């Protein structure tokens, strides 16, 4: 774990530039774990898309009902 305070400059405000980051090694999970992460994200994105489609449909039905009974 890298503490960003350790590599930030003492300027005001503190900053981090390329030379501070160049030699850092950022560990990545194994490829199979990365693939599982991507699958989980894609699943959530699909659920969001499905909910958005359902919401659009319900909004259309609401509009139809309001127009039918109020106008």
């Amino acid at each position: 774990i890298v503490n960003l305070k350790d590599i930030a400059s003492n300027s005001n405000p503190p900053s981090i530039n390329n030379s501070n980051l160049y030699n850092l090694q950022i560990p990545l999970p194994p490829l199979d774990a990365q693939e599982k992460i991507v699958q989980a994200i894609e699943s959530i994105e699909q659920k969001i898309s499905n909910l958005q489609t359902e919401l659009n449909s319900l909004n259309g039905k609401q509009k139809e009902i309001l127009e039918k009974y109020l106008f």
Side-chain angles (χ1 to χ4, degrees):
I1 297 176
V2 175
N3 184 346
L4 295 180
K5 290 180 182 180
D6 293 340
I7 61 172
S9 69
N10 291 327
S11 62
N12 191 8
S15 65
I16 299 173
N17 59 36
N18 287 348
S19 62
N20 299 115
L21 297 175
Y22 185 75
N23 292 321
L24 289 181
Q25 291 187 359
I26 301 172
L28 297 175
L31 186 57
D32 62 327
Q34 292 178 44
E35 290 170 347
K36 288 178 183 176
I37 292 167
V38 170
Q39 289 172 353
I41 292 169
E42 288 174 342
S43 174
I44 291 168
E45 288 177 337
Q46 184 61 52
K47 289 176 184 176
I48 291 169
S49 177
N50 292 344
L51 288 170
Q52 187 64 52
T53 300
E54 185 176 347
L55 179 61
N56 290 340
S57 175
L58 290 171
N59 283 336
K61 288 178 183 179
Q62 178 187 28
K63 183 179 176 185
E64 288 175 22
I65 291 168
L66 290 173
E67 287 176 352
K68 180 177 179 178
Y69 291 104
L70 297 178
F71 300 107

